Amino acid sequence: DACTYYETMSTIDRFQWQMENVSGVQSAVSLSSISKLVNAGYNEGNPKWRVIPRNQQTLVQSIARVPSSSGLLNSDCSVMPVILFLQDHKADTINTVIEAVKKTASELGNEQVQFKLASGPVGVMAATNEAVAKAQLPMMLYVYGAVIALCLISFRSIRATIVVVLPLFVVSTLAQWLMTVLDIGLTVSTLPVIALGVGIGVDYGIYILSTMSSKLKAGMNVEDAYLAALKERGSAVLITGLTLAIGVSTWFFSDLKFQVDMGILLTFMFLVNMLAAIIILPALSAFLWPEKGHDKK
């Protein structure tokens, strides 16, 4: 059995020691650490004996009382977990520990001992975080691709599409900045929020630009077209944005961190998307339509 060999147990012990010195790891336990405690116990608790016995019979004695139900070994010692307890479950902490595990495993692993990432809450979170990180870019490309395609179909204008999409991109970037500042991790729960903000935020831009576009085609300059759009659609944009923001802002008072995070992000995106449609969109329009004129491609 592998757990009765000093070389195997010593390798596991070195791995555990390195993991305990990784930032974010609070403590660790394994069969090797229990073996050292038991060995010291058999020698009147002398800390000098808190080592892995080199003698095989003594080593067997030190692990004999550890049952497989403890989760530290299986019946034939082919699996001996090293259990890590982390200070928190933040994405940065998990990523740091996972990278350290992979690096140390490659350094200490050999034919007799192979270190592999297993399960547990942190293991599941790490796998989830990796999947979320891989899904973020494709998801945003799909969302923006759909918005751009539909804007091109609706307005039949590259300039109009830029005017609608660019403020959305700015707000999405600001939302990611807010997540960093407030230490809101990118998770399965928070990943769809930015896409949701883009989907709802594009409505504000379409409300304003649809009226502006018709006025521009009628010969108005950008300033007059924008004022006309505000008179016709401005109140609708403001009321819609404020209603949505006030509704989700009540989540601030929830006892669930998930709801608090969602409330902060959604409130931010609803309000800032509304402001972007009122402020950034006309500014871009003035730049792209410097003179009164027609909605040319």
Side-chain angles (χ1 to χ4, degrees), residues 269-281:
M269 295 203 73
F270 290 157
L271 288 177
V272 179
N273 271 319
M274 177 191 70
L275 294 174
I278 296 175
I279 299 172
I280 299 179
L281 188 149

Side-chain angles (χ1 to χ4, degrees), residues 88-248:
D88 55 64
H89 290 170
K90 296 178 181 178
D92 290 341
T93 302
I94 294 175
N95 292 337
T96 299
V97 174
I98 293 298
E99 290 301 319
V101 168
K102 292 179 179 178
K103 179 181 178 181
T104 308
S106 64
E107 294 174 352
L108 298 180
N110 52 53
E111 294 182 359
Q112 287 73 35
V113 181
Q114 296 180 359
F115 297 97
K116 297 182 179 180
L117 290 168
S119 59
V122 173
V124 173
M125 290 178 185
T128 302
N129 290 344
E130 289 181 359
V132 168
K134 291 179 181 178
Q136 182 183 17
L137 181 59
M139 185 195 72
M140 297 307 297
L141 290 176
Y142 295 148
V143 170
Y144 278 104
V147 170
I148 290 171
L150 293 174
C151 285
L152 286 172
I153 293 172
S154 300
F155 294 106
R156 298 179 182 178
S157 169
I158 295 176
R159 290 187 297 182
T161 301
I162 293 173
V163 166
V164 172
V165 173
L166 192 56
L168 296 177
F169 177 76
V170 172
V171 176
S172 297
T173 304
L174 290 175
Q176 292 180 332
W177 165 81
L178 181 67
M179 291 173 66
T180 302
V181 171
L182 299 181
D183 203 16
I184 299 175
L186 185 64
T187 65
V188 175
S189 303
T190 57
L191 180 62
V193 173
I194 297 177
L196 178 63
V198 172
I200 293 179
V202 71
D203 292 346
Y204 305 141
I206 290 175
Y207 291 157
I208 300 295
L209 188 62
S210 59
T211 301
M212 286 185 64
S213 180
S214 63
K215 301 300 181 183
L216 288 169
K217 289 178 180 178
M220 285 188 178
N221 58 33
V222 173
E223 182 179 353
D224 293 337
Y226 175 58
L227 290 175
L230 283 183
K231 291 178 181 178
E232 292 185 19
R233 303 291 180 88
S235 59
V237 171
L238 287 172
I239 292 173
T240 302
L242 291 174
T243 301
L244 290 171
I246 292 172
V248 296

